[in-house]
Amino acid sequence: MTLPHPRPISGASYSAVELSPGDRDVVMLDQRALPGDERYARFTRSDEVAEAIERLVVRGAPAIGIAAAYALVLAASGEGSGAESFQASMSAAAERLRRTRPTAVNLAWAIDRMMAVVREVASLASGDRVARLAAEARTIHREDVEACRKLGAIGAARVPDGATILTHCNAGALATGGYGTALGVVRAAREAGKQVRVVACETRPVLQGARLTAWELVRDCFEVTLITDSMVAQRMRRGSVDLVVVGADRIARSGDVANKIGTYGVACLAQVHGVPFYVAAPWSTVDLGCLDGDAIPIEHRGEGEVLSFGGVRVAPEGARVDNPAFDVTPARLINAIFTERGEASPPSEQTLAKLA
Ligand code: MRU
């Protein structure tokens, strides 16, 4: 596989999402095909990117925010009209993107940031509008990588040499602009000269841990042990997990954290076994307008994700399904939240306000 981009902002040898150099198409590593097949998909229209976000071609809170920002560049390319109709059609594209996945606040955050630029450039010539929006989208992408590196270094200070770190879902380079949030902590710990091992939960139903986290870590020569989600308790009881680090899709003002379904269970088990539980996320994941975890919208996904495994149906006709994609971990179960602005420890309205 060769990366179809000469200088990916991600800085890695693979990239979740990039805008092509001519600003004409968005290129994504199709995460549905990993780990078996490393193939890139190209999109030339904003609505195609929206559909790709819904179908998990790209996923992970920061990465879908970046994808939406790039999608708005494509939307602007198709518009040669006057200021008013430009703004109207950009708003329609933004609303379509906003509806794709409700929990990850980075999506709405990136769209709002791009729409502020849309208002500024509405009266410019078409080519200038596109150039200005492309520059903003790339800045969002670049800043995310920088944020991941900073919060990774802050989190790495809490990682003892020789530690075994458990993570759930994928909060790595594939879920962000590059480098990763939870896996950013893992990468930064190694860069600081520490030996680290990772235990990755497979993360039912979509298997981000097995398919994506393990893929990233094996590729970067980390020692990674894959477990099914039901093995966490036994692992912790045996004392073979030193700390947990996960990502986040939205952090409420109270410090409650929405993340991939199963995270709350891991946090409960960590508390019972006295294992430190950390969350790593860029500030764009913090939603101070959201009072607490109960106010976070939780996405429910299709029943096929639960009824089937690897494309094979595993449940009888007639079985009902509940498939919330995320759960909420209350702040009281979290030792610290690492952001590029510093850490909220323990997370609370007060400690987050100090970073705001
Ligand atoms: O449904 P997904 O795969 O988009 O969910 C992703 C997660 O829950 C991640 O753990 C979270 O977005 C953090 S990404 C840095």
Side-chain angles (χ1 to χ4, degrees):
M1 178 216 57
T2 44
L3 185 65
H5 193 289
R7 284 184 304 280
I9 288 175
S10 70
S13 58
Y14 55 89
S15 195
V17 57
E18 299 281 346
L19 181 64
S20 68
D23 304 341
R24 292 194 176 279
D25 43 24
V26 171
V27 186
M28 290 179 196
L29 178 55
D30 188 341
Q31 299 191 25
R32 299 167 306 175
L34 289 173
D37 195 5
E38 294 174 40
R39 64 166 181 248
Y40 282 88
R42 264 175 206 279
F43 305 95
T44 54
R45 293 200 332 258
S46 162
D47 58 331
E48 290 173 345
V49 175
E51 203 179 311
I53 293 171
E54 277 163 355
R55 296 190 172 184
L56 308 184
V57 177
V58 63
R59 30 64 53 205
I64 61 177
I66 294 162
Y70 286 149
L72 288 171
V73 179
L74 302 184
S77 304
E79 284 306 314
S81 45
E84 246 173 60
S85 74
F86 170 70
Q87 290 211 53
S89 66
M90 291 302 287
S91 296
E95 289 325 301
R96 168 73 183 98
L97 288 159
R98 210 185 283 277
R99 282 195 304 274
T100 54
R101 301 205 65 194
T103 303
V105 74
N106 309 62
L107 178 69
W109 172 87
I111 291 171
D112 289 344
R113 191 164 152 177
M114 291 295 286
M115 290 307 286
V117 178
V118 164
R119 286 188 287 278
E120 274 171 40
V121 301
S123 54
L124 301 184
S126 172
D128 294 335
R129 290 170 181 161
V130 173
R132 180 72 185 80
L133 286 163
E136 184 70 10
R138 289 198 177 94
T139 300
I140 289 173
H141 191 165
R142 207 169 281 117
E143 285 176 1
D144 185 69
V145 180
E146 283 163 16
C148 285
R149 287 189 171 274
K150 276 192 196 154
L151 69 90
I154 289 168
R158 299 276 201 129
V159 176
D161 190 17
T164 298
I165 305 170
L166 185 139
T167 192
H168 186 74
C169 194
N170 172 263
L174 290 169
T176 61
Y179 202 70
T181 53
L183 296 192
V185 173
V186 170
R187 290 190 163 101
R190 181 163 79 176
E191 283 163 22
K194 295 174 186 175
Q195 295 263 13
V196 284
R197 284 184 211 91
V198 177
V199 173
C201 297
E202 65 168 356
T203 320
R204 269 290 276 160
V206 181
L207 301 180
Q208 289 94 332
R211 297 191 302 105
L212 308 177
T213 297
W215 181 81
E216 275 193 32
L217 292 174
V218 166
R219 204 177 156 119
D220 283 354
C221 302
F222 282 95
E223 185 182 324
V224 55
T225 302
L226 187 64
I227 60 171
T228 66
D229 301 348
S230 51
M231 294 173 188
V232 175
Q234 174 67 0
R235 268 251 154 193
M236 287 188 179
R237 199 179 72 82
R238 282 194 343 233
S240 49
V241 175
D242 297 305
L243 66 153
V244 177
V245 188
V246 296
D249 286 79
R250 191 184 296 235
I251 299 171
R253 194 199 303 182
S254 61
D256 296 346
V257 170
N259 193 50
K260 179 53 56 195
I261 191 75
T263 303
Y264 174 43
V266 174
C268 292
L269 290 167
Q271 166 119 125
V272 166
H273 295 92
V275 175
F277 183 95
Y278 300 113
V279 172
W283 192 256
S284 54
T285 306
V286 177
D287 181 4
L288 295 177
C290 189
L291 219 56
D292 59 24
D294 290 342
I296 299 177
I298 300 293
E299 174 186 2
H300 281 70
R301 293 188 60 85
E303 58 179 32
E305 289 181 356
V306 176
L307 291 173
S308 301
F309 190 88
V312 178
R313 191 170 169 114
V314 291
E317 295 294 338
R320 292 185 184 187
V321 168
D322 184 22
N323 186 17
F326 302 95
D327 58 26
V328 173
T329 300
R332 69 188 148 76
L333 297 181
I334 303 169
N335 292 72
I337 297 176
F338 308 131
T339 80
E340 72 276 26
R341 297 183 181 194
E343 58 175 63
S345 170
S348 67
E349 186 165 348
Q350 291 71 29
T351 54
L352 283 170
K354 278 195 189 139
L355 303 177

